Amino acid sequence: MTTTDASRTSRPIARPLALVGLLVAAIAAVTILDVPGPTELRAAVESTGLWGIAIFMALFIGLALTPVPSSAMAIAAGLLYGLTIGIAVTLVSATAAGIIAYFVGRSLGADALVHYGGSPASRAVRFLQQRGFSTVLAVQVVPVTPFWLVNYAAGVSNVPVGSYVLGTAIGILPGMIGFVAIGAFGTSAISWQFVVALAFVFGISVASAVLVQRRTGF
């Protein structure tokens, strides 16, 4: 096996491991720094009512249109709103951001996307042009695949809007639920709910990254 082959083989494992490492480090920092617990944070957020949710969703959508990881906002949603409301807020916000990026990508065109996204954007556009719903579903289910890049590339690739929206809504569901659960239970790092959420995110990241890398080269 060549060095390049070895690097490609280890990449699907390295990315989820790095992701889990960052999550554990962040949770440890929160614990050591003695920041307000979820009860205090959720009480403060609850006092803002629907306006607070609307502002958070607008912030989520705006950041999801940039290279900022949407997983970070999903974790924040779990921390601030708990599991059930956090999942609802995350799925609506992420899907809305995906639709906006899709039409922005269609308006900008391939040249602009490749200019900012480089070779990964080129590969994403070529791959999405060959397929439709199944491809969108496959790449969206991968938490370590850049969410913003796939969304813009789908618009450039002229994937049918119905296939794109359905593939995105279903594809982001497993990963986003996992990240919201990490936020919801992250302050109790020894709880079984947190361990299950972390294991779930790691497992789906590895399985999906292996599948997508074999098909796309990401």
Side-chain angles (χ1 to χ4, degrees):
M1 178 182 297
T2 65
T3 302
T4 301
D5 292 337
S7 175
R8 289 178 178 175
T9 301
S10 62
R11 191 181 305 167
I13 304 297
R15 288 176 177 175
L17 279 176
L19 176 64
V20 171
L22 288 173
L23 290 173
V24 172
I27 292 166
V30 168
T31 303
I32 294 172
L33 295 175
D34 192 28
V35 299
T39 302
E40 292 83 357
L41 288 173
R42 289 169 191 168
V45 169
E46 186 176 346
S47 67
T48 64
L50 293 178
W51 278 110
I53 294 179
I55 292 172
F56 180 86
M57 291 177 68
L59 180 62
F60 192 127
I61 292 171
L63 291 176
L65 297 174
T66 73
V68 173
S70 58
S71 56
M73 293 301 295
I75 293 172
L79 177 63
L80 296 177
Y81 298 105
L83 186 63
T84 303
I85 298 179
I87 289 174
V89 167
T90 295
L91 292 180
V92 172
S93 301
T95 302
I99 294 173
I100 293 172
Y102 173 89
F103 285 105
V104 171
R106 177 172 286 187
S107 299
L108 291 177
D111 291 340
L113 179 63
V114 171
H115 174 73
Y116 289 105
S119 59
S122 299
R123 292 197 300 269
V125 170
R126 288 197 301 270
F127 187 71
L128 287 166
Q129 284 174 336
Q130 298 172 5
R131 301 165 180 85
F133 170 78
S134 62
T135 302
V136 175
L137 180 64
V139 295
Q140 293 288 31
V141 81
V142 185
V144 292
T145 298
F147 182 65
W148 67 278
L149 180 59
V150 172
N151 296 333
Y152 287 118
V156 171
S157 306
N158 288 321
V159 174
V161 63
S163 298
Y164 168 75
V165 173
L166 184 61
T168 296
I170 297 175
I172 65 175
L173 188 61
M176 290 299 179
I177 288 177
F179 284 117
V180 172
I182 286 174
F185 303 113
T187 54
S188 301
I190 60 174
S191 67
W192 67 266
Q193 295 98 327
F194 174 74
V195 173
V196 169
L198 198 62
F200 175 77
V201 168
F202 178 76
I204 195 173
S205 298
V206 172
S208 302
V210 170
L211 174 62
V212 171
Q213 184 176 344
R214 287 178 178 177
R215 298 181 63 184
T216 68
F218 288 153

